[in-house]
């Protein structure tokens, strides 16, 4: 497959330039099989993939177009056969009436890697986009609380979500699947999709620990998640089963949109781990853990103090969550020793990083104040899911930490790893300001402003 290069043509409208690009490269695709949309404020409308106005190292739209072209053969038939990783997707648009259904690539071999984020760390962004782009999504409209009325389609979708390994299946659609390219870089890549009329599963073997929780209709969902994690079930598998309403008191079971289920499971597990962490003695030194992946730089600071947590993200202009800004944007949220009662402003990444840091503290039977700092640079051209944060921080926790006797020393080290000035991080951080400026007998007694030192 030839990789496309964009040529700027002023006559291309904001809605048609992608289509025209595809046609100029002699790719036959019906208008009904591609949706190309954009936001009016998007730089993509002006740039058309040729000027790099967003400041990224590569045009994310051109990357999506190239992978869309590789998926064109998937659009030729209303019937798709292959091995599902296994994978399902529950949408959130129109909630409580949502689209639910399986994801299957037309591949007759082991596809488990296609939906196993725990094994994605270290792979390139193109590989991850390739996994997502090959998954054809079947869509079936259903009410989240009435999914049992969805008949055999929903029954088999649930069976797929509970499967231990790849499942041979055939997906029958009502029309040829359609690809979608949203011309903005804060939309994750997805494969083609279409409404489905039927699906057929081959032999399906359930993950026995997940199946046991599913069969127990008196076991609350939160307890099911905690027990499965404690038994070593991968977070991704728990999230998948959670999304299809496999856990909880029978009358309370419902579908949970995939995006929400990921965050819910991360939150449930990490809250349980936090309760253990708070019973352990504090660490004896200042620690800094580090991980760099996909142009995301993570520095995780652990302070010898009682449990509290903060997650901070700094985005360059033109990056995923700061597409039109002309200054660096820093976002943060935090919780004290008593936890939090509201949803974190920075979203699911907050909970995925919290889970990863708590795993280490529980393993070491130690307690600390934890501050996760993430610098997202222009090479991170599009979002690929909160799994990237969880696995990045998990990778950092596997490394030998840099140890320091004083907070000042640890902050100077962190400042040397980032391009964004340390003062900017401190100004944004609630816990860093508290650690630097609050008077405690065991803390720092300098009379001058510590921020000015950096």
């Amino acid at each position: 497959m030839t990789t496309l290069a964009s040529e700027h043509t002023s006559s291309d409208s904001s809605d048609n330039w992608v289509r025209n690009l595809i046609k100029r490269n002699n790719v036959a695709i019906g208008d009904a099989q591609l949706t190309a949309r954009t936001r009016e404020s998007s730089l993509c409308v002006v740039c058309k993939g040729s000027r790099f106005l967003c400041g990224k190292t590569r045009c994310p739209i051109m990357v999506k177009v190239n992978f869309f072209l590789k998926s064109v053969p998937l659009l030729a038939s209303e019937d798709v056969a292959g091995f599902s990783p296994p994978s399902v997707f529950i949408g959130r648009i129109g909630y409580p009436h949502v689209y639910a259904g399986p994801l299957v690539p037309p591949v007759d071999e082991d596809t488990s890697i296609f939906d196993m984020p725990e094994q994605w760390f270290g792979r390139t962004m193109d590989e991850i986009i390739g996994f997502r782009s090959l998954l054809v999504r079947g869509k079936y409209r259903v009410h989240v609380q009435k999914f049992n009325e969805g008949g055999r389609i929903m029954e088999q979708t649930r069976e797929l979500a509970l499967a231990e390994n790849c499942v041979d299946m055939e997906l029958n659609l009502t029309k040829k699947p359609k690809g979608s390219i949203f011309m903005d870089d804060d939309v994750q890549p997805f494969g083609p999709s279409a409404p489905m009329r039927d699906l057929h599963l081959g032999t399906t073997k359930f993950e026995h620990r997940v199946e046991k929780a599913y069969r127990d209709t008196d076991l609350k969902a939160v307890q099911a998640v905690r027990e499965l994690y404690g038994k070593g079930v991968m977070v991704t598998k728990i999230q998948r089963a959670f999304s299809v309403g496999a856990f909880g008191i029978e009358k309370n079971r419902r579908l949970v949109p995939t995006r929400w289920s990921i965050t819910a499971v991360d939150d449930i597990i990490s809250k349980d781990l936090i309760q253990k962490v708070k019973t352990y003695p504090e660490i004896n030194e200042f620690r800094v853990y580090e991980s760099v992946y996909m142009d995301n730089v993570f520095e995780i600071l652990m302070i010898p103090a009682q449990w509290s947590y903060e997650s901070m993200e700094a985005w360059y202009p033109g990056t995923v969550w700061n597409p039109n800004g002309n200054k660096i944007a820093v976002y943060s949220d935090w919780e004290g020793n008593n936890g939090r009662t509201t949803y974190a402003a920075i979203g699911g990444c907050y909970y995925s990083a919290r889970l990863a840091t708590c795993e280490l503290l529980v393993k070491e039977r130690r307690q600390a104040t934890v501050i996760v700092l993430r610098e997202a640079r222009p090479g991170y051209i599009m979002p690929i899911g909160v799994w990237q944060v969880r696995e990045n921080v998990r990778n950092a926790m596997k490394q030998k930490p840099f140890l320091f006797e004083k907070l000042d020393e640890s902050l100077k080290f962190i400042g040397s790893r980032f391009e964004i000035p340390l003062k900017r991080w401190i100004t944004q951080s609630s816990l860093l300001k508290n650690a630097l400026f609050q008077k405690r007998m065991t803390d720092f007694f300098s009379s001058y402003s510590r921020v000015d030192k950096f």
Side-chain angles (χ1 to χ4, degrees):
M1 177 66 67
T2 301
T3 298
L4 298 185
S6 176
E7 296 179 7
H8 176 67
T9 305
S10 60
S11 61
D12 290 350
S13 72
S14 62
D15 295 326
N16 292 331
W17 74 270
V18 169
R19 293 181 183 276
N20 292 338
L21 173 64
I22 293 173
K23 290 178 181 178
R24 286 199 298 270
N25 284 269
N26 300 317
V27 178
I29 184 72
D31 288 344
Q33 289 182 274
L34 171 64
T35 298
R37 296 175 295 139
T38 186
R39 292 178 180 166
E40 292 182 3
S41 61
S42 174
L43 287 173
C44 304
V45 177
V46 178
C47 179
K48 296 183 173 65
S50 63
R51 304 181 192 175
F52 297 97
L53 297 179
C54 62
K56 294 181 175 61
T57 57
R58 290 192 297 164
C59 171
I61 309 305
M62 294 305 301
V63 172
K64 292 178 183 179
V65 169
N66 279 307
F67 277 99
F68 168 77
L69 294 179
K70 293 178 182 180
S71 73
V72 166
L74 311 183
L75 311 181
S77 173
E78 296 172 0
D79 301 312
V80 181
F83 282 81
S84 180
S87 187
V88 300
F89 188 85
I90 313 298
R92 69 183 192 280
I93 296 176
Y95 189 90
H97 296 276
V98 300
Y99 281 111
L103 298 170
V104 57
V107 178
D108 294 323
E109 59 186 43
D110 186 349
T111 61
S112 57
I113 191 65
F114 282 45
D115 194 22
M116 195 177 293
E118 284 86 346
Q119 296 185 11
W120 285 356
F121 186 86
R123 292 181 177 270
T124 66
M125 179 169 286
D126 282 17
E127 287 181 286
I128 305 304
I129 298 172
F131 295 153
R132 293 186 180 277
S133 300
L134 281 176
L135 292 169
V136 179
R137 177 189 173 197
K139 301 191 297 184
Y140 189 77
R141 192 76 163 176
V142 64
H143 191 288
V144 296
Q145 292 178 292
K146 301 177 182 179
F147 61 93
N148 286 325
E149 298 177 6
R152 197 171 71 89
I153 286 181
M154 285 310 303
E155 289 177 8
Q156 296 211 315
T157 297
R158 187 193 298 117
E159 288 180 16
L160 187 63
L162 301 180
E164 182 175 18
N165 300 308
C166 296
V167 178
D168 185 13
M169 64 171 291
E170 179 179 340
L171 181 61
N172 307 123
L173 306 171
T174 61
K175 57 185 177 181
K176 293 179 180 179
K178 179 172 65 174
S180 178
I181 299 175
F182 193 79
M183 285 170 276
D184 216 328
D185 50 22
D186 64 352
V187 178
Q188 295 184 29
F190 286 101
S193 64
M196 61 179 171
R197 50 187 169 82
D198 205 355
L199 74 156
H200 305 274
L201 301 185
T203 303
T204 305
K205 179 182 178 182
F206 286 172
E207 208 294 343
H208 69 279
R209 294 164 295 185
V210 176
E211 181 185 11
K212 183 178 180 181
Y214 165 64
R215 302 293 183 194
D216 190 345
T217 55
D218 294 321
L219 180 66
K220 292 183 178 181
V222 170
Q223 189 61 31
V225 169
R226 291 172 178 168
E227 291 183 5
L228 288 171
Y229 176 79
K231 293 176 180 178
V233 179
M234 284 196 304
V235 172
T236 294
K237 290 188 175 183
I238 300 173
Q239 292 168 341
R240 186 184 303 137
F242 190 94
S243 73
V244 295
F247 305 141
I249 307 299
E250 186 170 22
K251 66 178 182 179
N252 296 333
R253 292 187 177 186
R254 65 188 66 192
L255 297 179
V256 181
T258 296
R259 183 172 177 178
W260 301 353
S261 71
I262 291 172
T263 296
V265 170
D266 283 343
D267 183 39
I268 291 169
I269 295 173
S270 57
K271 278 181 177 177
D272 190 48
L273 296 180
I274 288 169
Q275 294 309 307
K276 297 177 182 178
V277 167
K278 289 162 67 173
T279 66
Y280 300 144
E282 297 173 6
I283 60 175
N284 297 318
E285 66 286 309
F286 293 90
R287 304 180 185 179
V288 177
Y289 295 85
E290 183 177 76
S291 182
V292 181
Y293 176 51
M294 288 190 182
D295 222 17
N296 284 267
V297 180
F298 282 84
E299 303 291 333
I300 297 92
L301 173 64
M302 290 193 179
I303 298 173
Q306 68 175 8
W307 166 262
S308 55
Y309 170 78
E310 184 168 29
S311 181
M312 305 180 67
E313 299 182 345
W315 297 85
Y316 279 76
T319 47
V320 173
W321 304 123
N322 187 21
N324 301 317
N326 54 17
K327 296 181 180 179
I328 294 168
V330 182
Y331 306 97
S332 66
D333 215 330
W334 67 284
E335 62 189 70
N337 191 254
N338 294 325
R340 63 179 306 116
T341 57
T342 57
Y343 183 70
I346 65 174
C349 294
Y350 179 94
Y351 303 95
S352 58
R354 189 177 71 179
L355 169 59
T357 57
C358 285
E359 286 176 331
L360 177 73
L361 290 173
V362 169
K363 180 181 179 181
E364 294 190 352
R365 301 179 69 84
R366 288 293 182 268
Q367 178 174 185
T369 287
V370 179
I371 303 174
V372 177
L373 302 98
R374 173 191 183 189
E375 186 174 87
R377 296 174 178 172
Y380 188 58
I381 62 173
M382 71 178 77
I384 54 174
V386 299
W387 70 267
Q388 181 271 135
V389 173
R390 185 177 66 245
E391 299 308 317
N392 229 326
V393 177
R394 276 178 167 173
N395 178 65
M397 298 297 100
K398 294 176 183 177
Q399 312 307 315
K400 184 177 180 180
F402 299 92
L403 303 179
F404 304 92
E405 294 183 359
K406 298 180 179 180
L407 178 58
D408 291 1
E409 295 172 351
S410 62
L411 290 177
K412 284 181 178 179
F413 174 80
I414 291 173
S416 72
R417 316 301 265 193
F418 282 146
E419 295 178 0
I420 295 170
L422 183 58
K423 186 174 182 178
R424 183 72 177 85
W425 295 96
I426 295 174
T427 301
Q428 181 71 27
S429 171
S430 297
L431 295 187
L432 281 177
K433 284 186 291 189
N434 181 68
L436 284 165
F437 301 117
Q438 291 298 315
K439 300 293 184 181
R440 290 177 55 193
M441 291 185 64
T442 57
D443 282 344
F444 306 94
F445 296 98
S446 299
S447 59
Y448 56 88
S449 173
R450 294 176 182 273
V451 175
D452 291 337
K453 294 177 64 178
F454 304 108

